Amino acid sequence: MDNQFWKNKKVFITGHTGFKGSWLCLLLYSLGAKITGYSLDPITKPNLFDDLNLKKFLVKDYRQDIENLNKLKKAIKDFNPSIIFHLAAQSSVLVSYENPLKTVSTNVLGTANVLETIKNTPSLKSAIIVTTDKVYLNLEKKKKFNENSKLGGYDLYSSSKAACDIISESYMNSFLSKKKCGLGIVRSGNCIGGGDWTKDRIIKDCVESFSKKKHLLIRSPNATRPWQHVLDPLCGYLNLAKKLYQNNKRYSGSWNFGPNKKNNLKVKEIAKIGRKIFKSKSKIFYGKKKYYESENLALDSSKSKKLLKWETKFFDKSALDLTFNWYKKYYDFKNKKELINLSFSQIELFKNKHSV
Ligand SMILES: NC(=O)c1ccc[n+]([C@@H]2O[C@H](COP(=O)([O-])OP(=O)(O)OC[C@H]3O[C@@H](n4cnc5c(N)ncnc54)[C@H](O)[C@@H]3O)[C@@H](O)[C@H]2O)c1
């Protein structure tokens, strides 16, 4: 990482109180950036944002709604950032079945509000819109999706994110390229890492069962995902944001940030690795899923590899080791300082592997 680029850069992050947003704040802080965050309160209790005391690393910590255009505009105008990362979202497939309209308004209207604000902010030179690997039309054919694959979405989370993708591209073509602000639409796979306490996510279910000596019930035991540690794609987003800042025309567009490998681990294999790390005797049971979720999903990230020299450095066993060990320490540690130090030390591992 080139520390000098990020030093004192003014960076605005939406969704900074979430799982990925919290790691992004810590990563940018470690590089010397000045960060302002704009989100609702953390969704879960516990949550990484409070556990790492992240408020103290921020210039300003807004707790407001991205659906409120005026408040969003005012927050960005007051801070005058040069780079923005948009992560705020209703981020769960299962919640999108229970609350489809809210998912659409937060994800689609919220993203349009962010784009409209970017359009009207002269100081911005680089913008990253975070969508997902689930934007691709998945016919379960076990083929890898590249940036030109057709977009779609069986569930409302996926389709709302695909809509974000399309709207972002329209804003880029219609307005942003003229004002010399680079725009990157980034799609990564399921991220793992310490501090994700979101309901129904496999790692959280595992660590709660193993630490409380309870049995574990998992849905979709045979589903595979491009599992990667959250810090791998985040380093890729930083790399891209820097390139967009320096050359908006060349790097604007959509980018995949997933592991380039043939076989992804199954959910049940992940649970078994976690059980071993926790030295747990909990039994693992397989249940039925309530709603449709895709079984196989894999990304072709050769564009990022070729043009950004980015690739996943920690996947499968190494990403799982870092993740389960973070949670193990979470249960062992007596104070927040130890957890913050552990998180910074994991960040250093990634900064040593990634270059920009
Ligand atoms: N976690 C993953 O594995 C993964 C994978 C691919 C893509 N993504 C995407 O990355 C982004 C971050 O994911 P995450 O896992 O950190 O999600 P998360 O649910 O942990 O965090 C979501 C964040 O958005 C904020 N938010 C939600 N609704 C809001 C609103 N109306 N106004 C303002 N803020 C609001 C929340 O307060 C929180 O800060 C999302 O856009 C998600 O779709 C996540």
Side-chain angles (χ1 to χ4, degrees):
M1 283 273 176
D2 171 5
N3 288 7
Q4 292 317 304
F5 174 80
W6 291 101
K7 204 159 180 49
N8 291 325
K9 282 276 178 317
K10 286 169 116 184
V11 183
F12 192 90
I13 304 177
T14 74
H16 69 297
T17 61
F19 164 59
K20 281 174 106 170
S22 295
W23 276 108
L24 181 61
C25 287
L26 207 62
L27 177 57
L28 281 166
Y29 178 82
S30 76
L31 291 163
K34 304 273 178 245
I35 308 157
T36 281
Y38 184 104
S39 310
L40 298 178
D41 288 337
I43 294 159
T44 61
K45 209 169 170 117
N47 61 79
L48 191 60
F49 187 87
D50 291 329
D51 279 335
L52 298 185
N53 248 334
L54 285 176
K55 195 177 173 65
K56 71 169 194 248
F57 299 127
L58 304 178
V59 176
K60 207 142 186 204
D61 173 19
Y62 288 95
R63 299 303 171 89
Q64 279 162 11
D65 199 323
I66 45 164
E67 292 185 50
N68 187 326
L69 179 60
N70 287 335
K71 286 195 172 153
L72 180 67
K73 272 186 179 165
K74 182 161 177 357
I76 294 190
K77 188 165 181 268
D78 288 351
F79 186 53
N80 211 27
S82 56
I83 299 173
I84 184 168
F85 291 87
H86 170 46
L87 288 88
Q90 190 302 92
S91 67
S92 155
V93 173
L94 295 183
V95 172
S96 80
Y97 280 103
E98 280 145 25
N99 216 337
L101 274 187
K102 185 67 188 155
T103 301
V104 171
S105 64
T106 299
N107 293 0
V108 183
L109 188 63
T111 299
N113 283 343
V114 170
L115 292 161
E116 182 64 21
T117 312
I118 294 172
K119 169 181 151 245
N120 295 319
T121 306
S123 59
L124 277 171
K125 295 185 73 176
S126 169
I128 298 287
I129 305 293
V130 177
T131 68
T132 167
D133 57 355
K134 297 190 178 67
V135 295
Y136 295 114
L137 179 68
N138 190 349
L139 301 173
E140 300 285 1
K141 291 202 167 147
K142 293 198 176 180
K143 81 172 186 68
K144 284 188 171 191
F145 299 105
N146 69 27
E147 288 81 352
N148 299 320
S149 300
K150 196 170 176 195
L151 301 186
Y154 183 95
D155 57 88
L156 262 300
Y157 169 71
S158 305
S159 60
S160 68
K161 282 290 189 173
C164 294
D165 242 88
I166 295 168
I167 293 168
S168 302
E169 191 140 351
S170 303
Y171 262 88
M172 184 176 77
N173 298 332
S174 307
F175 309 112
L176 303 186
S177 54
K178 287 179 203 126
K179 78 181 270 300
K180 296 197 168 55
C181 176
L183 183 106
I185 302 159
V186 297
R187 304 161 180 161
S188 77
N190 275 46
C191 294
I192 57 173
D196 186 0
W197 300 102
T198 310
K199 194 168 171 276
D200 293 322
R201 287 199 183 154
I202 176 66
I203 303 286
K204 173 204 167 262
D205 290 349
C206 286
V207 300
E208 286 185 344
S209 298
F210 302 154
S211 65
K212 290 175 190 151
K213 300 186 171 58
K214 281 185 177 165
H215 299 321
L216 171 68
L217 180 68
I218 51 177
R219 54 178 213 278
S220 312
N222 292 312
T224 63
R225 292 283 180 274
W227 308 99
Q228 61 189 156
H229 193 281
V230 61
L231 286 165
D232 262 328
L234 289 181
C235 287
Y237 303 170
L238 256 57
N239 182 342
L240 177 61
K242 178 184 172 179
K243 295 256 187 342
L244 287 164
Y245 187 98
Q246 293 163 338
N247 187 339
N248 67 306
K249 282 219 167 70
R250 182 166 155 78
Y251 293 100
S252 284
S254 46
W255 298 81
N256 284 348
F257 289 95
N260 266 333
K261 61 190 289 291
K262 279 205 180 94
N263 298 310
N264 292 317
L265 284 179
K266 291 180 177 169
V267 169
K268 64 183 178 193
E269 292 169 324
I270 286 183
K272 284 177 189 165
I273 291 173
R275 185 169 61 180
K276 204 167 167 199
I277 293 174
F278 267 72
K279 298 191 174 77
S280 160
K281 294 197 167 76
S282 298
K283 282 199 173 119
I284 301 174
F285 294 100
Y286 305 138
K288 279 209 178 94
K289 54 188 177 178
K290 197 168 164 195
Y291 297 113
Y292 170 79
E293 283 181 274
S294 53
E295 282 287 313
N296 301 289
L297 196 45
L299 289 176
D300 172 352
S301 302
S302 31
K303 178 181 169 189
S304 296
K305 186 169 183 187
K306 189 168 167 216
L307 299 180
L308 301 175
K309 312 270 174 285
W310 175 92
E311 63 183 334
T312 300
K313 302 288 184 188
F314 293 83
F315 43 79
D316 286 359
K317 184 77 172 66
S318 55
L320 287 165
D321 270 349
L322 286 172
T323 303
F324 280 118
N325 279 311
W326 190 100
Y327 284 100
K328 207 161 173 290
K329 298 265 168 53
Y330 173 89
Y331 290 110
D332 293 346
F333 283 157
K334 301 281 178 292
N335 63 47
K336 284 186 182 176
K337 187 99 186 65
E338 286 179 289
L339 203 61
I340 294 170
N341 288 343
L342 169 70
S343 305
F344 273 125
S345 73
Q346 293 199 341
I347 279 179
E348 288 310 310
L349 292 176
F350 286 80
K351 279 160 66 178
N352 290 336
K353 292 266 181 188
H354 285 279
S355 58
V356 281

